[in-house]
Amino acid sequence: MARDRNRGVHPRVPELQRQLADGHIDRRSFLRTTTLLGVSAAAAYAMAGVPAPAWADGMNMPFPKDDPKARMGGILKVGMQVQKMEDPATYSWVEMSNQTRHIIEYLAMTGPDNITRPMLAESWEASDDLKTWTFHLRKGVLWHNGDEFVADHVVWNVERWLDPALASSNVGLSTFSAMREDSGKKDDKGKPIMVGRKGAVEAVDKHTVRFNLSKPVLSVAEDCYNYPTAILHPSFKAPLNDNPIGTGPFTLAELKPKDRCILKRVTKTTDGKDFTYWGGKVYLDEIHYYNFDEDNQLTAFASGDIDAIYEFGIEQYELAKALEGNIIAARTAQTLCCRMRVSEKPFDNKKLRQAFITACDNSVYRDLVFQGGGDIGENHHVAPVHPEYYALAPLKRDVAKAKQLLAEAGYPNGVSVTIDVGNTDGPWHQTVCEIMRDQVKDAGIDLKINVIPPSKYWEIWDKTPFGATAWTHRPLGTMVLSLGYRQGVPWNESAYDNPEFDKALDVAESIFDVEKRRAQMAKVEKILQDDAVMVQPVWRPVFTIAGKKVHGYPPHPTQYHQFNKVWIG
Amino acid sequence: MALIMAVTSAILFLVFDSEKFKKQIAVAELGGFAVSALSDDDYNAWLEKKGLNVPFYQRYGQWVGNVLRGDFGLSLETNEPVGALVWDRLKNTGILAFWVFFLMIPLSLTLGVLAGMKEGSKLDRSLSFIAVFTTSIPEIATAIILTVLLALGAGWLPTKSAMTQGFDGWQLVLPVLTLVLYDFGYVARMTRASMAEVMTSQYIRTAVLKGIPYKRVIMRHALRNALIAPFTVIVLQLNWLLSGVVVVEVFFEYSGFGKLLLEAALFGDVYVIQAATLVAVFVAVFSQIISDVGYTMLNPRIRFS
Amino acid sequence: MNTNDTALPARKTLIQHLQAPRVLIFLLLVMWLPLTAYVMFGELLGPHKDMILIPAIPATALLYAIAVYSWRESWVSVLGVTLVFFWLFMAVTAPFLPLMDPNKPLAPFTLPGVEKRDHLFLLGADFKGRDILSRAIWGCQRVIVWGVTATLVAYVVGSAFGLLAGYLSGWWDEAISFLANVLLSFPVMVLFILILNYLGPSGFNIIIAVTFASAPAIMRIVRGLTLDIKQRDYVFAAQTRGEHPIYIMVVELLPNVRGPVIVDACLRLGYTTVAITTLTFLGLGLQPPDPDWGLMIKESAKTAMLFKFSYMLIVPALSVSTLILGFNLMADGLREMSLRD
């Protein structure tokens, strides 16, 4: 078995093993990166010389181990925004994907520990140059209509995502953007139309799929668990709720957007045969989602209507503590970027930006806002939970220096700036800005806080000269830097434009070796930090709560629901 | 009435045709991150998919045609037929309204009549004070105080009325109580004033002097005339209720018409707003007409002149 | 209005001098303008903005004394006036009271009467650790200023249209009345939601929304009164003098419709206050971070749904209730007195 499992191991894995032994990388990074490169989690744990934890079992399953105490049956009632169920490839909210996460499944699955394991794929390998990725699909996976899951289905899905007419956000992921090419045609605005490259994805045999990428990509497995990448049956026609065919243990029984979404176990295929789920035991009979806005989920939990909720904010922490239930906290790379748009006055003045940042003390937000939870942000948008995080020297607040910088910037008598705050993740955004206001005041900067409703903030988030924007968690540090700080990318809200940074990031993204990549990240992080684009005060934890009778409810950094091994008792 | 509805719906269409609103819908549907990543082409394609790129007069004409055939279009947010959606929510609000009126009418009429019978009595004065007091506490405050006392404190009632497990009468108690408390004082005072006026009128005095039993005077002569004014007031409460339920439904998480309207407005769900506004205007105008007609029919002075 | 007037005392007392309309208007302005400027344009006033409120304090006190003296016969009005002036007094003195900064997060979820971080939280602290007593008192500023201003603007607009419709009649009347009917056929909250959602939530937009919602009703009242008064001799006199219609409307008609309008205004102040609080609760009204009652309710409704923390909800709920009770009692007393005369 062991030999079998190591057959597809990436040549660099032994090197990683050496690094682990020498103490160059920690166990966490080793596990992450090796699983990423196709080593099964169990094998990785074995190589790391640690006992496999509960979820890494011999069957190469992405789920936690069966709990011997678990009881079969029961209904899990979850408070969440219930939305429509159109086309999974164009989902725009995590809630939408949670509704279908137990119906349709993914090639890979990132667990609560931020480790990505094989799901519909049994394993994968990457070429040395990280440009060719081969996925070995799991055998014996059945669709709800009785069809067998095969390689052609994956090819059909990926090609569908690449079709510009579908407008799936998946093409923004590095993996799938590296499968596209310029069609030679231009749209009305003169922008080139990008289409899928021929042969970018191919079925090698019935159970093997190969991705041929145009550039090295490290995050292929992670990208295959991004929420719009669920694998659909080729008979799919939107909306999904009309004919929900998946491979998962549940199917849709009732959907009423803004009201409820009821999932029931699949026992028979639609052509009348017995349905056996590939993923082993699943305890719950039904999963019910009831529509509650984020603000009201915890109070609904308190009233006993529901067993678990999507999320509650830090401002509700005291209330949650007083309730009968288990608070479940996940450490994440979710954050708030108080970013300055470097193309707008007065923020085009680098000295001014530096003055602002020097006047802030990032170390206090964690305690003041999250009661000690979360991590300190360092203004370069790479989080300690990212494997390639390089710890730069801690930022120091220096009011005198800030004043001096401000004078050099041309504001010897102080300056007044306004920050737009949308509280899109809850009122803690505003709390952060209020603390910031008190800090920068000492340096002669008068910070005005312009609070606007969340929906209005999303209309201006990428235009306002100074705004506090929430960024979600991504498994790798390079992923978010590519999305938000490369010159000209759509989500570059700060209008940051530094070729040196782009080049450094290119290099980092092509280095497989975590140790070397981390050294390169030091450079990347430093450039971004020195350019003083943002105050990024804190990495926030996310909280949810589940009733005492709910067992095995996993804390996920992106609130993805993984209820296969949850049981009620 | 039809003219008023036509004008308001045209204005609403015009308003929601603005670029700003289309963008708002896009942001609400796709999320801010995604919208800003869209190219102009993608955005236009999205508009086309949603049917928002057609000039508003064309959409309006189409919509009017459809509405006349009873088709209110599809919700932009949930893709459900608007007619069924609004009807569903209206039913829930109807249940709420039924219980509010069921409790409020006997309570306020009885108190109002009793107080009006003896103007200046202890009952009259305390009723006046209680009425001013309860109508002065806004619904949101009443809702809070009731929740804190009866639900959080005593634990007798559920705090929210989301009814996830089907209809539950207990969950209806707090919203109904909130609305009744806020509203009964006003109707009671109107009844009292009307009753007091009747009691001082000549024919009642004559009847009492003629020796007809007091009870009979009240039941046969006074009540009938005293209840004309309250009748119109009560019918007009329907109109008020449509405003009043918004905050109560939102606070108690009750899926009714008011909550629907607020959510649709915040999302920019044009067709839902249109249908809901039409219903609201219809109810308002209709209750006005009923109260006018009823007043004419009940009031002999107007009827015969 | 006052029985003393008929007794014709040899010398008017000081307080009777103060009852003269001109003095009253002067005092009202001295109280109102600084407060409005402070709340609406506080940002522009610079570092010494607190100073602007100093003249308003004696003016408020004096007005209260006059009001109590004038309405001393009706204990209902006196109670109402006392409640309203309590909050007015809080509004003008807020910066000088020994209060915590209402936006300063200190100790989250501190229960009432507990001392934490060297500060005694008399009414407790909210989810961010801000002093609730301080927020309740500062909160009244915004509610009062926006509420009263919105009502005032609605009155100016409503009266203007009412005068126009009533005095000019003809197609002016037709057009204005139709417009009013369209607006009146909306349930008020529906109108608020539509307008504020379109304009975006802010204090100034609340003024616009309240104007749209209230002005038609005001216009109807004023129009009716105008139709009645326009038949009077002094209006004919002015017309034969050849005065401009605008002069007649403003100088001859307006002062004579004010009686019933004032009672209505008191009630309407109450409605507007409710509306502002409710709208803010729904997320369509005033915006954080500055405190106001609707916002306190909104924020606490999701953080404090527990008996232990219910003070966070009760305090703003009671605050807004007392203010509205004050307005309504005032209206009641005024009506009682006008009936008595």
Side-chain angles (χ1 to χ4, degrees):
Chain A
M1 275 297 276
R3 191 175 54 90
D4 218 33
R5 222 179 286 123
N6 276 337
R7 188 185 44 176
V9 159
H10 192 277
R12 302 276 185 154
V13 169
E15 185 185 326
L16 278 168
Q17 236 170 330
R18 257 198 319 280
Q19 287 182 342
L20 175 71
D22 298 350
H24 282 305
I25 57 171
D26 58 24
R27 230 163 244 161
R28 193 185 159 75
S29 305
F30 173 79
L31 291 173
R32 241 220 95 264
T33 317
T34 46
T35 44
L36 191 80
L37 288 164
V39 180
S40 79
Y45 278 105
M47 288 180 203
V50 287
W55 51 76
D57 66 13
M59 288 303 288
N60 212 0
M61 287 286 174
F63 312 113
K65 231 185 195 142
D66 288 344
D67 185 341
K69 294 194 299 278
R71 289 232 297 265
M72 294 297 280
I75 299 172
L76 180 68
K77 288 178 271 185
V78 185
M80 188 177 79
Q81 285 186 23
V82 176
Q83 300 176 325
K84 59 186 169 191
M85 201 179 271
E86 295 279 286
D87 184 341
T90 58
Y91 278 166
S92 43
W93 303 101
V94 170
E95 285 93 335
M96 288 182 176
S97 72
N98 279 343
Q99 285 168 197
T100 55
R101 193 170 297 277
H102 301 94
I103 304 175
I104 45 178
E105 299 180 301
Y106 299 79
L107 284 180
M109 173 167 146
T110 307
D113 51 0
N114 209 21
I115 293 180
T116 303
R117 301 183 179 81
M119 195 174 190
L120 287 180
E122 201 170 27
S123 63
W124 53 75
E125 313 131 16
S127 64
D128 284 354
D129 62 359
L130 297 174
K131 281 165 97 170
T132 309
W133 287 69
T134 311
F135 286 83
H136 302 285
L137 303 184
R138 205 175 285 276
K139 295 185 182 84
V141 175
L142 273 190
W143 291 98
H144 295 161
N145 66 353
D147 289 358
E148 194 198 345
F149 168 69
V150 292
D152 285 339
H153 298 161
V154 178
V155 174
W156 179 85
N157 274 279
V158 175
E159 282 177 345
R160 188 167 166 267
W161 301 334
L162 297 176
D163 180 359
L166 180 71
S168 166
S169 62
N170 288 341
V171 295
L173 300 167
S174 332
T175 305
F176 306 107
S177 86
M179 291 183 179
R180 296 203 302 171
E181 64 183 1
D182 195 334
S183 64
K185 284 181 235 147
K186 307 234 185 242
D187 64 10
D188 315 340
K189 298 281 175 315
K191 280 191 224 145
I193 295 177
M194 302 294 283
V195 292
R197 187 164 34 79
K198 266 215 162 56
V201 52
E202 54 177 327
V204 178
D205 59 43
K206 199 175 167 194
H207 290 286
T208 312
V209 175
R210 188 169 293 142
F211 290 178
N212 299 308
L213 309 178
S214 57
K215 59 173 199 242
V217 178
L218 195 58
S219 60
V220 173
E222 275 80 7
D223 284 348
C224 288
Y225 193 58
N226 197 34
Y227 63 85
T229 58
I231 302 293
L232 297 166
H233 190 268
S235 69
F236 167 79
K237 277 208 170 55
L240 181 68
N241 51 311
D242 282 355
N243 191 16
I245 299 174
T247 52
F250 289 86
T251 191
L252 184 68
E254 187 192 355
L255 174 74
K256 248 175 119 184
K258 309 221 76 179
D259 186 41
R260 65 193 55 202
C261 172
I262 309 287
L263 305 180
K264 288 206 168 102
R265 281 296 297 280
V266 182
T267 47
K268 293 259 185 223
T269 57
T270 45
D271 56 358
K273 284 182 278 192
D274 281 341
F275 177 83
T276 320
Y277 177 55
W278 62 267
K281 269 191 192 150
V282 176
Y283 300 111
L284 295 171
D285 281 340
E286 296 180 23
I287 300 171
H288 293 192
Y289 286 106
Y290 292 111
N291 185 61
F292 286 96
D293 287 344
E294 220 130 292
D295 287 355
N296 297 312
Q297 286 165 7
L298 192 62
T299 49
F301 178 83
S303 71
D305 279 351
I306 44 180
D307 305 322
I309 64 171
Y310 180 69
E311 188 190 359
F312 70 84
I314 183 69
E315 72 279 4
Q316 296 175 307
Y317 195 74
E318 284 295 321
L319 176 58
K321 273 205 305 203
L323 298 176
E324 185 81 5
N326 300 317
I327 295 178
I328 295 159
R331 196 179 171 201
T332 75
Q334 298 198 29
T335 187
L336 182 73
C337 293
C338 302
R339 94 290 179 284
M340 301 172 241
R341 199 159 163 86
V342 300
S343 57
E344 304 270 346
K345 272 193 180 341
F347 303 109
D348 53 349
N349 187 333
K350 186 171 167 183
K351 284 254 159 55
L352 172 82
R353 301 200 305 264
Q354 284 172 329
F356 194 96
I357 281 161
T358 316
C360 289
D361 182 359
N362 288 12
S363 65
V364 303
Y365 296 93
R366 213 172 130 253
D367 294 331
L368 289 181
V369 184
F370 288 106
Q371 310 194 346
D375 296 290
I376 298 169
E378 289 162 338
N379 304 346
H380 53 60
H381 214 149
V382 180
V385 298
H386 288 140
E388 66 271 65
Y389 167 79
Y390 181 91
L392 296 174
L395 291 166
K396 276 223 173 62
R397 183 178 189 228
D398 188 342
V399 177
K401 193 175 161 215
K403 276 186 179 152
Q404 186 201 334
L405 282 163
L406 202 61
E408 285 170 26
Y411 302 95
N413 304 318
V415 64
S416 176
V417 292
T418 304
I419 185 164
D420 290 322
V421 184
N423 288 327
T424 48
D425 262 355
W428 67 273
H429 289 187
Q430 195 185 320
T431 315
V432 162
C433 293
E434 280 160 6
I435 298 168
M436 197 178 294
R437 174 179 61 194
D438 293 346
Q439 287 181 348
V440 296
K441 202 187 208 169
D442 297 345
I445 301 172
D446 175 25
L447 180 65
K448 293 202 172 64
I449 301 172
N450 179 32
V451 180
I452 50 181
S455 60
K456 304 279 173 206
Y457 185 76
W458 285 126
E459 290 170 27
I460 58 148
W461 73 282
D462 56 343
K463 295 176 201 77
T464 170
F466 194 11
T469 306
W471 281 78
T472 190
H473 169 102
R474 285 185 177 75
L476 299 180
T478 49
M479 290 165 85
V480 68
L481 293 182
S482 259
L483 281 171
Y485 301 95
R486 281 182 186 276
Q487 190 267 324
V489 291
W491 289 358
N492 187 340
E493 51 171 351
S494 52
Y496 183 59
D497 178 7
N498 187 346
E500 196 195 340
F501 170 84
D502 289 358
K503 219 190 291 162
L505 186 56
D506 281 340
V507 175
E509 282 190 323
S510 64
I511 302 177
F512 151 70
D513 184 302
V514 171
E515 187 74 354
K516 281 186 192 143
R517 178 146 46 93
R518 183 175 294 147
Q520 176 67 17
M521 284 307 278
K523 196 171 154 199
V524 174
E525 290 172 12
K526 189 80 182 131
I527 297 174
L528 192 55
Q529 193 183 56
D530 285 350
D531 276 337
V533 182
M534 63 190 147
V535 180
Q536 185 234 328
V538 71
W539 301 100
R540 72 152 175 144
V542 299
F543 301 105
T544 179
I545 190 168
K548 293 261 188 232
K549 60 173 188 169
V550 179
H551 301 269
Y553 193 97
H556 200 272
T558 37
Q559 292 117 327
Y560 289 177
H561 287 169
Q562 299 166 345
F563 293 154
N564 282 40
K565 301 293 175 190
V566 173
W567 59 279
I568 307 264
Chain B
M1 186 160 82
L3 182 63
I4 289 175
M5 286 185 174
V7 170
T8 43
S9 54
I11 293 175
L12 285 179
F13 255 100
L14 186 60
V15 163
F16 283 102
D17 194 56
S18 64
E19 261 319 300
K20 201 181 110 192
F21 255 92
K22 290 179 184 168
K23 197 79 179 212
Q24 183 186 332
I25 299 169
V27 169
E29 163 142 346
L30 304 172
F33 271 104
V35 168
S36 49
L38 289 179
S39 69
D40 287 354
D41 262 10
D42 296 338
Y43 182 61
N44 284 332
W46 179 84
L47 284 179
E48 199 174 319
K49 201 171 111 199
K50 288 273 150 191
L52 290 174
N53 56 343
V54 186
F56 93 95
Y57 46 87
Q58 218 169 318
R59 272 201 296 149
Y60 179 60
Q62 222 171 26
W63 180 79
V64 169
N66 287 340
V67 165
L68 292 178
R69 284 202 309 273
D71 173 11
F72 286 88
L74 289 180
S75 154
L76 292 176
E77 185 180 9
T78 62
N79 261 345
E80 291 176 305
V82 172
L85 189 68
V86 172
W87 180 243
D88 205 39
R89 299 298 195 96
L90 211 53
K91 260 196 314 213
N92 287 344
T93 299
I95 296 172
L96 189 63
F98 171 79
W99 286 106
V100 170
F101 281 103
F102 185 80
L103 290 176
M104 187 264 286
I105 294 175
L107 182 71
S108 52
L109 289 188
T110 319
L111 285 176
V113 167
L114 287 178
M117 267 161 53
K118 288 215 182 88
E119 219 185 337
S121 66
K122 229 181 208 163
L123 178 72
D124 181 28
R125 292 231 297 274
S126 38
L127 175 77
S128 290
F129 189 75
I130 291 173
V132 173
F133 196 76
T134 53
T135 42
S136 293
I137 306 180
E139 290 153 303
I140 176 74
T142 318
I144 287 171
I145 293 164
L146 289 178
T147 307
V148 169
L149 291 181
L150 300 180
L152 299 179
W156 293 331
L157 294 167
T159 41
K160 298 279 167 187
S161 317
M163 314 243 174
T164 49
Q165 303 304 310
F167 186 80
D168 176 4
W170 286 112
Q171 298 193 1
L172 208 59
V173 177
L174 282 180
V176 168
L177 220 53
T178 305
L179 287 164
V180 169
L181 269 183
Y182 185 64
D183 200 32
F184 93 95
Y186 177 67
V187 180
R189 288 189 83 192
M190 287 294 169
T191 318
R192 175 206 165 269
S194 170
M195 188 69 187
E197 201 192 317
V198 171
M199 290 303 284
T200 54
S201 66
Q202 283 299 327
Y203 68 93
I204 296 291
R205 285 187 189 175
T206 320
V208 173
L209 287 178
K210 258 165 52 185
I212 299 172
Y214 189 65
K215 222 175 173 177
R216 215 174 123 181
V217 176
I218 301 286
M219 299 305 278
R220 296 285 296 270
H221 301 273
L223 268 186
R224 194 184 152 176
N225 288 302
L227 291 184
I228 298 171
F231 166 78
T232 60
V233 170
I234 287 169
V235 175
L236 289 179
Q237 291 312 297
L238 250 163
N239 185 0
W240 163 81
L241 203 65
L242 279 188
S243 300
V245 291
V246 177
V247 64
V248 170
E249 286 180 356
V250 170
F251 186 85
F252 289 111
E253 287 274 306
Y254 183 72
S255 309
F257 178 78
K259 193 158 162 268
L260 175 77
L261 181 78
L262 181 73
E263 282 166 357
L266 292 178
F267 188 93
D269 204 336
V270 198
Y271 299 105
V272 178
I273 299 175
Q274 285 286 2
T277 310
L278 278 196
V279 169
V281 171
F282 177 79
V283 171
V285 176
F286 193 67
S287 59
Q288 183 79 49
I289 292 173
I290 291 197
S291 94
D292 287 353
V293 171
Y295 188 75
T296 326
M297 278 176 24
L298 290 172
N299 193 336
R301 262 174 301 185
I302 296 183
R303 192 169 50 189
F304 297 121
S305 65
Chain C
M1 190 184 270
N2 204 306
T3 44
N4 285 3
D5 297 343
T6 48
L8 279 180
R11 283 182 56 212
K12 283 186 170 180
T13 58
L14 175 67
I15 202 143
Q16 282 162 341
H17 273 293
L18 290 173
Q19 278 176 295
R22 260 174 229 202
V23 181
L24 282 180
I25 290 173
F26 173 74
L27 284 177
L28 277 174
L29 286 179
V30 169
M31 174 183 74
W32 192 249
L33 289 181
L35 189 58
T36 312
Y38 185 82
V39 173
M40 290 190 189
F41 310 107
E43 305 268 286
L44 307 175
L45 292 174
H48 300 296
K49 64 176 187 171
D50 291 353
M51 296 301 142
I52 192 179
L53 284 177
I54 289 179
I57 299 173
T60 313
L62 214 51
L63 274 170
Y64 176 61
I66 296 168
V68 170
Y69 177 79
S70 315
W71 296 337
R72 63 185 178 278
E73 284 162 52
S74 157
W75 69 272
V76 174
S77 331
V78 171
L79 182 59
V81 163
T82 307
L83 286 174
V84 171
F85 270 85
F86 168 76
W87 286 116
L88 270 174
F89 206 70
M90 287 297 143
V92 291
T93 53
F96 310 107
L97 295 175
L99 293 172
M100 251 300 144
D101 178 348
N103 287 330
K104 195 176 174 71
L106 275 174
F109 293 94
T110 310
L111 296 181
V114 173
E115 195 173 328
K116 253 192 198 173
R117 297 187 67 178
D118 295 335
H119 178 69
L120 176 64
F121 290 90
L122 277 178
L123 294 181
D126 71 356
F127 73 97
K128 272 191 184 177
R130 300 171 295 192
D131 184 33
I132 290 199
L133 175 69
S134 163
R135 282 181 79 72
I137 289 177
W138 277 95
C140 79
Q141 270 195 346
R142 298 220 294 177
V143 174
I144 291 180
V145 166
W146 290 111
V148 177
T149 313
T151 318
L152 210 66
V153 173
Y155 263 93
V156 171
V157 174
S159 312
F161 280 106
L163 286 171
L164 278 176
Y167 183 73
L168 296 176
S169 307
W171 67 269
W172 275 99
D173 190 14
E174 293 279 321
I176 292 172
S177 293
F178 177 75
L179 203 70
N181 279 336
V182 170
L183 289 174
L184 280 174
S185 60
F186 280 90
V188 187
M189 199 41 82
V190 177
L191 201 60
F192 278 143
I193 291 174
L194 290 177
I195 294 178
L196 283 175
N197 186 43
Y198 179 61
L199 296 173
S202 81
F204 288 101
N205 291 340
I206 283 188
I207 295 183
I208 298 175
V210 167
T211 306
F212 268 100
S214 298
I218 299 165
M219 172 257 156
R220 273 195 177 177
I221 297 173
V222 174
R223 174 179 168 273
L225 292 167
T226 311
L227 283 174
D228 183 32
I229 290 171
K230 128 176 136 163
Q231 312 297 335
R232 305 264 170 97
D233 292 342
Y234 55 82
V235 177
F236 283 119
Q239 279 169 342
T240 37
R241 281 206 307 274
E243 302 284 5
H244 193 270
I246 292 182
Y247 172 87
I248 296 176
M249 280 189 262
V250 174
V251 178
E252 304 288 348
L253 293 176
L254 192 58
N256 289 300
V257 299
R258 103 194 137 186
V261 164
I262 287 180
V263 175
D264 181 67
C266 277
L267 285 176
R268 215 163 274 285
L269 274 174
Y271 299 153
T272 312
T273 312
V274 177
I276 292 191
T277 313
T278 308
L279 287 171
T280 309
F281 167 74
L282 295 176
L284 290 166
L286 303 172
Q287 290 298 308
D290 288 336
D292 88 78
W293 298 329
L295 196 66
M296 289 169 75
I297 293 176
K298 182 182 160 72
E299 289 172 342
S300 308
K302 58 170 173 168
T303 51
M305 268 298 166
L306 219 61
F307 192 66
K308 183 161 78 152
F309 299 133
S310 55
Y311 62 91
M312 287 187 213
L313 289 159
I314 296 283
V315 171
L318 289 184
S319 304
V320 68
S321 302
T322 47
L323 178 62
I324 295 162
L325 186 65
F327 283 131
N328 287 357
L329 289 177
M330 249 167 87
D332 238 38
L334 280 175
R335 191 178 326 145
E336 228 171 75
M337 278 186 284
S338 71
L339 286 176
R340 208 176 293 160
D341 285 345

